[in-house]
Every structure is written in structure tokens, then in C-alpha cells.
Amino acid sequence: MRSEGKLLREAIIVHYYLGVDIGSVSSNFVLMDQYGNIREKVYLRTLGNPVKAIKEGFAQIKSRQGEQLDIRGVGTTGSGRHLADVLLGADVVKNEITAHAVAASALFPGVRTIIEIGGQDSKIIILKNGIVQDFAMNTVCAAGTGSFLDQQAARLNIAIEDFGDYAVRSRQGIRIAGRCGVFAESDMIHKQQMGYPAEDIIMGLCEALVRNYLNNVAKGKKIEEPIVFQGGVAANAGIKKAFEKVLNSQVQVPEPYEVMGAIGSAMLAQEQRAQSQAPGNYRGDDFILEGEFKSSSHECKGCPNLCEVVCIKRNQEILAYWGDRCKKWENSINRQDKLQVI
Amino acid sequence: MKVTFPHMGNAHIPIKALLKGLKLEVIPPPPVSKKTMELGVKYSPEFACLPLKVNMGNFIEAIEAGADTIVMAGGWGPCRFGYYAQVERDILKNLNYDFRMVILEAPDSRLSDLLKQVKSLGENVSLWEAWKAIKFAWYKLNAVEKLERHFEYYLPRVVDKDKVEKIFDDGLKNIDQADERKEVHDFTNICLKKMQEQPCHNQPVLRIGLVGEIYTILEPVTNYHVARYMGRLNAEVTRSIYMSDWVNDHLLGGWIKKSRHAEIINCASPYLNYWVGGHGRETVGYTVDFARKQYDGVVQIGPLTCMPEIVAQSVLGKVSEREGIPCMTMYFDEHSGETGIYTRLEAFIDMLQRKSYLQSSFSTPIGVDNKFVL
């Protein structure tokens, strides 16, 4: 009976929630149905052009589904979350910490520690009974993050996808300095010229990055099991192994590790839509697919701050301004909406 | 003689009043802008902390606007600030600027010393006139702070945040231009009344303590307006440092009003028992104080490489754990990407909001069913 009920429910028209995570390196999209199933996930490189990435990501989801999608809510996160909001019309625009925590505690109830390493930033989130208790993000140095790994893989002429496998093959990692990306690189070059095998050097690098993370990001926070490791770098089996070795605990990597932020924001969008009576903000498929988006910037001469004001346009219509400290430009467009939200 | 001084938040309002009272022509530096930062960064040692760079920018802009005398505070102790005035003077001399620098050393508890220093600054002013100038400046300072405190209270509560910001900024401008005690009094009251009349929402308001290094706390440009940002997210921010407390404790020896300084120092024990320079011990003490007053969280701010704050930060972890108050530390330097700062603040506020929401509704989220109530 139950399964029949479920089947019946699935036969009823489904509606969807879209989660978008625009990061420095990757742009991720998730299409979630109202039962919390992930129907579609897209992982793209941002390649310095978030507008294009958003458009392409959405187009991919749309073409794979091949039907009219009933999108009831949109959530955006990542450093490009405001841009994604303008282009798609988001119901929730949230920081990455919250998004990642929501997703991880939905997939791993009872999770205590989330290790998240992305392209430019890395964070640690400590939870208790499903509530975020404490978190930290890297501040000044990006040595332990995906960009650095990318760069080293390119230097060794190894595809980044295979980088982790190399590390795992190693029996004994070589000691590499982990405090600073520049030191790490010069150590690696030195060791490579001495003739150490590439596998051991890469494993050494993984261990160095883990030490860097624990010293700079985790900074003495109590890391307790269950531990979840997510973000783009979680693809690297070497880093996972190094974490397990250094922490002497088991580290779990969720299957959709690279789109956890997007999943979290889709869930937040669903939560928000369930609470609200107002119609959703989603601007519609055509808005994003058909429009020609252009951004331009100019220096505002209103005061000595000389803010660089960015203007986002769709065809000829101005969608948003930002970048001005006094909010003169920003408020010229969205002031009414803002007041309504409050 | 055309006098200038460095900016520190709204301190320019009372300082200007003081110098004017000493019959000096005052040329305050233009408000801290991107240009100020650029100038400061260009002519300062790279490893110096942000306050020195902003000071340098202020001085250069003020000299170019016609100032020929710089009044700068001195100091002593482990914080690098003690050398600032001298370093800045040498750099400006090397840039071939023609000026005179007057360094006011903190007299620490001898009021007569301060009066003498202030009097010697003025041209042909009697001791009585100097005294009157100090009193008027003190009055203005208190008026400014009254506005600041009310602004901190109303910003998280009102519906229209832009409007209340505008009221506050206009109020400050009016106080700055007022020449009479009566005018200051009236402008303050008008501004307070306007703030009180703003419609408020009934959503919960968090209380956040802002602790850390004095300059970063007082000069909002150097902290990227963290207080306003948190206020806009419905969090009421209480600072650990208000200018009048500092003047009272350090220049007037606690003479003019009741000081909580000793109490705060006591709070820092047993976590930090030594004076580590700057406001390191106060940071720890105030964090404990905020925790005991049931604040929701504490944000510590300081310029990058600030030694006293680094010492305090290393102790805050323990404080946070034992006193049960979430703490977050942020360091600032010249960067224009504000997103990173606001992401962290938003996440911090979000965490506290969800926590207090759950505590108030007594529900314990367990497992997947409650996955949306993080």
C-alpha cells in the first residue's frame, strides 16, 4: 500500500526547487523535487564568467529534463550569490556556511564536523544536535585550497581528476612544508629534483595541506566524529586519506560532494517557500535563457570614495546596481523590493 | 597656524570643537575614502598595520588642503601605536612636506598635564579659555555618543534601515556645525526624536558585542561598517569601546564619570592576567562581560598583524567555551572585496539566529525529518 501511495504521489505533477552555488572556481546547480530527491546536478567551471556559467548551467538542466519545469523556489549561495539572484530571481540568498551545514545534516543526520574545501576558501563547521555551534573560514591564505592543488597538478602535468589516485598509491608521503603555498611549491620542486617518486611527493603535499588546514582554519577546534568532507577538493582521495591519518578518525565523503552548497540552498528555498504565502521570486525560464545579459562598470564621481559601480543589464533593462558604499545606485532600483522583504 | 588631526570615526566632531575653542584654524582631513587608502598604502611601510596607513592618507590629504600643523596622539607600551607619530612625521618629512607636528602624550591620570598640553597648543588662550574649550568638546562628544548608542539600538529594530541611517548621519552633521551648547542640545534631541518615531518590526533582535582594537572599532571605514551591516541583519551591536570612556579612563583618570574599567579588567581574569598592550586585556574582559550579560555572540575585530588582539584571540577560544558565548575574529587590511567579510558576518548572525530560534521554541531537531530546521 505504502509503495503504491508513493508511486501515486510521484505520478502527481512534481514541482522543483533550484539550488545554485556560484563559487570562485565552479558553478553548481541542483534540481530538487518537492520530496527532497536530487533530480539533476550540474558542475561547471566558472571560468571567470559567472553570468555565462549561470546561463549554461540552467540550460543544461533544462535540456536534460526536456520538459516544462515547474520551479517553485530558487536558492543561491557562493560568492556569486547576489549575481545569481539578479539573473534567476531567488527566494533565498544565503551564505555558504549555512547552505553546506543544511545539506550535510540532511544527508548525514547527527554529523558533528563538516570539512569543506573549495576553490578559494576552506571552512570548518561544528554542529551539535543539527545546529551550527561554531565555524571558521580561512582568512588570509588560500594555500590549502583547490586552486593551489589545480596549479600543482598542472605543473606536474597530471590531470586534476587523477591527482588523488596518485597520492593514494604512495606508501610513504614525503615531508612538504605546509605553512605557505610558496614554501610548499619550492619544497616540492626540491624533492622532485632529488628524485623522489611523484606519488610520494603528491601524498606529501596532501598531508601538508591537511596540516595547513588544521592549523589555519580548524585552529584548535575540537573535531569529533562523524566527520563529513565535502566541496570540490573532496574528490581528491589523497586529501581524504591524509585527513583520516592525521585525525585518526573516519572521514565520510557524500556522493554529491561537489554540489553540497547547491543542495543546501535548494533545501533552504523549499523551507522558505513553505513558510511564505507570497508568490515566488523566480523570474521564469525565458528570462534567463532568452535574455542577453551585459554588465558594465563605471566610477561614481559623487564623492571621493570613487566607488566602482557595477550595472547588470538584461537587453536594455537595468536589473541591478551594486558596489556603491552609500547605496545611492543600489537603492535606485531595488528599494521597494527590499522594504517588502523586511 | 592651520591645524589638522587624524580621523577616528566621529571623533573629528569633538576634536574640531576643541581646537576651534583654542582659537585655531582647523582643517580636518576629508572623510576617509578610497583615495585616502591609496595614498596611505603607497607611502607607508608594507608591514605597518592599517591605522597607520589611514593616518598617513589623512595627513597627506589635509596638508594638500592647506594644513600646516598636525596634532597626533602619542603612546607607549607593547603596541606599535607608540611609534606612529614619529614614524609618520619622518615619512612626511621625506616626502618634503612642510609642517609642524605636535604629539600629545597620554598623561595617564594627571589632568593638569593634559590641560597644559592643550593650552600650549593654542595661541594666546588663557587657561580659562582652554578649560572652556575642553568642556565644550566633551559636551559634543557625549552628544555624538548619545546618537551613536540610540542608532545602535534602533537600526536593528526599525523597518526602514536606510531612513534611520540618514537621520543619524544628518544628526551628526548638525552637531558638527553647531557652535553653541544649546544648539548641540537641540539638534541631539531632534535627531533622537526622529529615530524614535520610526516604525519598528516585531522580529527577534540579536545582541552582539563588538570587541577589539580601538581604532578599528571606532573608525567604521576600516572595519567595512561591520556594525551597520549587522544592524541591518537585525542584530543590535554594543561596542566595547566608546570614545568618551576612553578619554575618561586614559586622559582624565576616571575623574569625570564612573568607569567600568577596573571591573572589566577583573573579568579578564583568570583568562588573561597581564596587560599585553593595546586593548588585548579589555577584549578578553569585555567578552566575558558580554557573555555574563547574556549576549548572543561576540565579534572581535582588529587590523591584520595587531599583536595585542592576536594574544587576545588565542585566549578567546577558551573564554568562548567556558562562558558559553560564540566568538568570531576578523582582521582587516586594505582590500576592496567586501563579500568575504559579509559572508562570514552573515553566517555568524545566521548561526546565532537559528540557535536562539530553536532555544525559544524548545524543539530538538533530530534526523532527516527536521532537516530544514538547522
Side-chain angles (χ1 to χ4, degrees):
Chain A
M1 272 304 280
R2 272 184 84 196
S3 67
E4 252 176 54
K6 200 179 171 199
L7 278 176
L8 203 69
R9 233 175 21 188
E10 301 224 323
I12 298 171
I13 304 165
V14 253
H15 58 263
Y16 299 96
Y17 297 92
L18 183 67
V20 182
D21 178 358
I22 307 300
S24 56
V25 174
S26 72
S27 298
N28 316 321
F29 304 82
V30 155
L31 190 69
M32 186 181 85
D33 65 25
Q34 76 256 51
Y35 310 113
N37 303 315
I38 305 303
R39 290 299 191 90
E40 213 59 77
K41 62 174 192 181
V42 173
Y43 178 91
L44 291 174
R45 293 236 161 192
T46 310
L47 299 173
N49 190 345
V51 174
K52 199 175 149 207
I54 293 168
K55 220 170 159 173
E56 200 182 313
F58 187 76
Q60 279 194 21
I61 285 191
K62 181 99 177 146
S63 69
R64 281 197 225 160
Q65 282 288 319
E67 51 177 302
Q68 192 61 37
L69 296 177
D70 179 13
I71 293 177
R72 295 274 173 91
V74 179
T76 65
T77 186
S79 43
R81 59 184 180 276
H82 296 292
L83 185 69
D85 171 27
V86 168
L87 264 57
L88 294 163
D91 300 288
V92 178
V93 183
K94 269 280 178 251
N95 60 83
E96 302 91 294
I97 306 276
T98 310
H100 277 284
V102 166
S105 51
L107 264 65
F108 300 90
V111 55
R112 297 293 300 269
T113 311
I114 301 169
I115 296 169
E116 200 271 340
I117 306 184
Q120 278 292 330
D121 58 27
S122 46
K123 34 191 155 316
I124 182 165
I125 309 171
I126 309 280
L127 299 103
K128 209 184 207 169
N129 299 329
I131 312 172
V132 178
Q133 291 292 322
D134 196 4
F135 69 88
M137 274 173 99
N138 62 332
T139 42
V140 275
C141 174
T145 59
S147 303
F148 182 65
L149 280 178
D150 250 1
Q151 199 188 327
Q152 292 311 316
R155 200 178 58 79
L156 295 170
N157 200 16
I158 297 174
I160 186 70
E161 292 79 12
D162 305 333
F163 210 61
D165 300 336
Y166 266 83
V168 176
R169 260 184 266 145
S170 152
R171 299 239 300 281
Q172 176 66 50
I174 304 285
R175 183 93 187 170
I176 305 273
R179 232 199 121 205
C180 159
V182 178
F183 291 175
E185 178 162 349
S186 79
D187 252 19
M188 281 175 73
I189 293 173
H190 172 70
K191 297 274 154 84
Q192 139 207 331
Q193 309 299 56
M194 300 264 292
Y196 288 99
E199 287 87 357
D200 292 353
I201 295 176
I202 295 173
M203 190 62 215
L205 176 69
C206 292
E207 285 173 11
L209 293 190
V210 166
R211 280 201 308 276
N212 177 303
Y213 174 88
L214 294 175
N215 292 333
N216 286 328
V217 185
K219 259 193 194 150
K221 293 197 196 310
K222 227 178 243 165
I223 298 181
E224 288 176 62
E225 285 187 80
I227 303 166
V228 173
F229 178 27
Q230 57 197 41
V233 174
N236 189 319
I239 301 269
K240 177 179 179 262
K241 195 176 156 193
F243 265 118
E244 289 183 328
K245 186 178 158 193
V246 176
L247 296 172
N248 197 19
S249 353
Q250 207 204 336
V251 174
Q252 292 165 289
V253 176
E255 188 264 319
Y257 61 88
E258 78 283 27
V259 294
M260 290 292 274
I263 294 177
S265 51
M267 288 175 170
L268 284 166
Q270 188 180 21
E271 177 192 325
Q272 206 275 339
R273 295 297 301 126
Q275 285 170 4
S276 162
Q277 305 295 324
N281 293 336
Y282 179 55
R283 293 183 191 255
D285 300 0
D286 294 345
F287 187 86
I288 176 84
L289 292 176
E290 309 279 305
E292 181 71 39
F293 292 95
K294 258 194 199 142
S295 59
S296 58
S297 74
H298 75 275
E299 204 168 61
C300 170
K301 299 248 170 20
C303 77
N305 265 328
L306 303 178
C307 296
E308 290 142 6
V309 183
V310 181
C311 168
I312 311 284
K313 269 189 193 167
R314 179 183 184 268
N315 303 333
Q316 290 310 310
E317 183 202 358
I318 293 167
L319 295 178
Y321 284 112
W322 57 65
D324 49 335
R325 280 204 183 160
C326 66
K327 313 275 174 220
K328 179 172 82 182
W329 294 88
E330 205 176 308
N331 286 342
S332 67
I333 302 275
N334 3 359
R335 197 176 142 74
Q336 277 316 312
D337 307 350
K338 259 201 212 158
L339 285 181
Q340 275 164 11
V341 172
I342 297 161
Chain B
M1 194 158 76
K2 292 172 185 165
V3 188
T4 191
F5 54 86
H7 267 301
M8 183 157 82
N10 297 320
H12 65 99
I13 297 173
I15 295 176
K16 214 166 100 183
L18 174 71
L19 296 173
K20 264 191 184 163
L22 299 173
K23 296 179 186 166
L24 295 167
E25 195 181 332
V26 191
I27 300 189
V32 181
S33 64
K34 210 167 75 181
K35 192 181 157 218
T36 318
M37 289 279 203
E38 268 169 24
L39 283 170
V41 169
K42 190 169 168 193
Y43 296 113
S44 305
E46 193 246 329
F47 264 73
C49 60
L50 192 60
L52 182 127
K53 297 177 184 176
V54 181
N55 283 176
M56 285 299 300
N58 282 160
F59 294 153
I60 293 175
E61 281 184 314
I63 291 173
E64 276 167 5
D68 58 15
T69 305
I70 295 171
V71 180
M72 175 69 188
W76 44 275
C79 169
R80 281 182 281 187
F81 178 72
Y83 291 119
Y84 271 19
Q86 285 78 6
V87 171
E88 286 160 358
R89 183 185 57 206
D90 288 357
I91 295 173
L92 289 171
K93 290 275 181 218
N94 284 341
L95 293 173
N96 287 327
Y97 285 113
D98 187 22
F99 67 98
R100 185 168 80 102
M101 192 170 226
V102 181
I103 303 170
L104 295 179
E105 294 292 344
D108 263 277
S109 80
R110 290 251 300 279
L111 195 61
S112 53
D113 284 0
L114 180 77
L115 198 59
K116 265 185 227 156
Q117 280 189 1
V118 169
K119 187 186 170 298
S120 69
L121 201 68
E123 285 171 341
N124 306 321
V125 281
S126 65
L127 210 56
W128 172 245
E129 279 167 322
W131 172 241
K132 257 178 44 187
I134 292 178
K135 263 182 74 178
F136 186 55
W138 176 252
Y139 188 78
K140 266 201 179 183
L141 173 60
N142 279 301
V144 167
E145 255 166 35
K146 207 167 178 183
L147 290 197
E148 286 177 349
R149 286 183 198 259
H150 276 78
F151 177 61
E152 282 159 7
Y153 178 84
Y154 283 108
L155 182 64
R157 289 179 172 82
V158 299
V159 179
D160 191 345
K161 318 273 187 203
D162 296 328
K163 186 79 189 291
V164 79
E165 275 188 359
K166 176 110 193 353
I167 295 172
F168 172 68
D169 291 337
D170 288 348
L172 288 178
K173 238 178 256 162
N174 287 334
I175 291 181
D176 187 26
Q177 279 155 9
D179 289 323
E180 299 284 328
R181 217 179 142 106
K182 175 88 177 50
E183 271 182 284
V184 177
H185 179 83
D186 292 347
F187 281 135
T188 313
N189 284 347
I190 292 170
C191 181
L192 293 186
K193 192 147 177 278
K194 273 193 201 156
M195 280 198 218
Q196 283 155 6
E197 280 165 358
Q198 286 296 306
C200 293
H201 58 73
N202 51 8
Q203 278 154 14
V205 170
L206 290 175
R207 292 197 303 161
I208 306 282
L210 188 66
V211 300
E213 189 268 337
I214 179 168
Y215 187 85
T216 319
I217 288 188
L218 292 179
E219 177 56 68
V221 176
T222 59
N223 66 33
Y224 293 83
H225 294 277
V226 287
R228 280 194 188 194
Y229 185 76
M230 287 193 278
R232 282 173 167 268
L233 295 174
N234 295 352
E236 181 186 347
V237 177
T238 311
R239 289 184 267 148
S240 63
I241 297 170
Y242 290 86
M243 190 73 186
S244 67
D245 293 340
W246 185 83
V247 171
N248 183 41
D249 290 336
H250 294 272
L251 297 183
L252 308 174
W255 174 81
I256 211 158
K257 64 177 193 179
K258 199 170 165 280
S259 168
R260 293 194 62 217
H261 195 245
E263 194 188 324
I264 295 301
I265 296 300
N266 275 336
C267 283
S269 170
Y271 303 106
L272 188 58
N273 294 322
Y274 301 96
W275 179 61
V276 291
H279 286 79
R281 193 157 53 160
E282 281 87 343
T283 295
V284 175
Y286 270 107
T287 306
V288 174
D289 185 55
F290 283 130
R292 293 184 183 160
K293 282 182 178 159
Q294 308 291 318
Y295 270 63
D296 296 287
V298 163
V299 175
Q300 181 203 13
I301 57 175
L304 190 68
T305 73
C306 175
M307 188 276 293
E309 294 307 318
I310 291 173
V311 175
Q313 186 196 1
S314 60
V315 185
L316 278 192
K318 197 94 210 159
V319 178
S320 164
E321 195 184 300
R322 284 229 212 133
E323 304 283 336
I325 188 158
C327 299
M328 183 173 69
T329 302
M330 299 178 103
Y331 290 114
F332 297 96
D333 204 65
E334 39 113 15
H335 42 179
S336 57
E338 296 157 355
T339 323
I341 295 162
Y342 295 149
T343 298
R344 285 161 180 81
L345 279 174
E346 191 196 302
F348 189 68
I349 299 287
D350 225 47
M351 170 179 102
L352 300 178
Q353 270 167 351
R354 281 174 175 256
K355 234 178 178 171
S356 77
Y357 170 72
L358 284 176
Q359 271 161 8
S360 63
S361 61
F362 296 108
S363 65
T364 22
I366 1 149
V368 195
D369 293 331
N370 276 325
K371 66 188 176 187
F372 300 134
V373 216
L374 179 75

